[in-house]
Amino acid sequence: MKKILFIVSLFLLVACSNNEVKYDGAPLKIAVVGDIPELHNEKIHFKPISLDEFSEDTLTISTNFDAVMITPVMFEEASEDRFVKVYKDSKMPIIFFDSRKRNLPFTNEGLTYETAHWESLNNGSHTTIYISDIDANREDAWYFYLKDEKELDILYKEIFQKIETL
């Protein structure tokens, strides 16, 4: 009996520790530059890619994925001027996850994530989705806010819902 209780409690502990996101929209494939998010949802599929992969083959990336997510471990390199044109020409949503400086250090030459003045760029948002289509003369950004780290699953759900509509 003790073994059964132990196994059941171990199963419940593992099940409760999953970072499950309650997103029930269309399946999404997201390329990730940086750390893969530790969350679980059968409709969300992440695949790691490098910045060079993204910049060298944006057509393939945009054909095979619904969005590209860039995480904080890659912000300094991702904000180098050589990638500005990549972001502006990509025509697909780019998620700058946990960027207090929004998309600005990434989409403006002469700024890096480190050198951009945080105070002037901070609008209180946690994450920004940026999309640009030079042919359509379109450039948009959507901001997502996180009040409490316990609500990270809600933040992800909102991001995925927005990606689904773009």
Side-chain angles (χ1 to χ4, degrees):
M1 183 66 175
K2 286 184 181 182
K3 287 182 183 180
I4 293 173
L5 285 175
F6 175 74
I7 292 171
V8 169
S9 34
L10 185 61
F11 175 75
L12 288 174
L13 179 64
V14 170
C16 292
S17 67
N18 288 342
N19 295 325
E20 188 172 337
V21 173
K22 295 183 183 345
Y23 167 78
D24 61 355
L28 299 174
K29 290 178 17 180
I30 299 175
V32 180
V33 177
D35 296 331
I36 300 289
E38 292 182 22
L39 60 89
H40 304 282
N41 184 299
E42 63 187 33
K43 293 189 173 200
I44 306 298
H45 303 281
F46 297 111
K47 180 176 188 279
I49 64 168
S50 69
L51 274 170
D52 290 331
E53 228 178 315
F54 180 40
S55 66
E56 292 168 6
D57 202 0
T58 54
L59 181 60
T60 300
I61 301 293
S62 64
T63 302
N64 294 320
F65 294 94
D66 298 295
V68 172
M69 177 184 285
I70 302 176
T71 66
V73 297
M74 296 303 297
F75 283 171
E76 190 57 33
E77 183 179 352
S79 65
E80 292 175 3
D81 285 350
R82 64 188 172 117
F83 295 112
V84 170
K85 186 168 174 36
V86 174
Y87 306 136
K88 291 193 177 263
D89 291 348
S90 72
K91 298 182 184 181
M92 70 182 298
I94 303 170
I95 306 162
F96 296 103
F97 189 80
D98 198 8
S99 172
R100 305 278 185 219
K101 299 178 183 184
R102 302 180 280 168
N103 61 292
L104 299 175
F106 308 100
T107 57
N108 292 287
E109 290 186 6
L111 288 178
T112 66
Y113 199 79
E114 185 179 313
T115 63
H117 296 290
W118 184 81
E119 299 82 17
S120 63
L121 300 178
N122 183 15
N123 68 353
S125 65
H126 178 277
T127 295
T128 301
I129 294 177
Y130 171 82
I131 192 167
S132 176
D133 184 346
I134 292 184
D135 298 334
N137 198 27
R138 174 183 172 203
E139 185 176 30
D140 292 309
W142 294 268
Y143 307 109
F144 298 84
Y145 300 85
L146 181 64
K147 297 174 188 128
D148 186 338
E149 288 294 322
K150 294 176 188 173
E151 297 177 355
L152 197 55
D153 60 326
I154 296 168
L155 175 79
Y156 275 116
K157 180 181 176 182
E158 291 172 355
I159 290 168
F160 299 146
Q161 287 173 331
K162 185 63 183 177
I163 294 298
E164 182 183 14
T165 67
L166 296 174

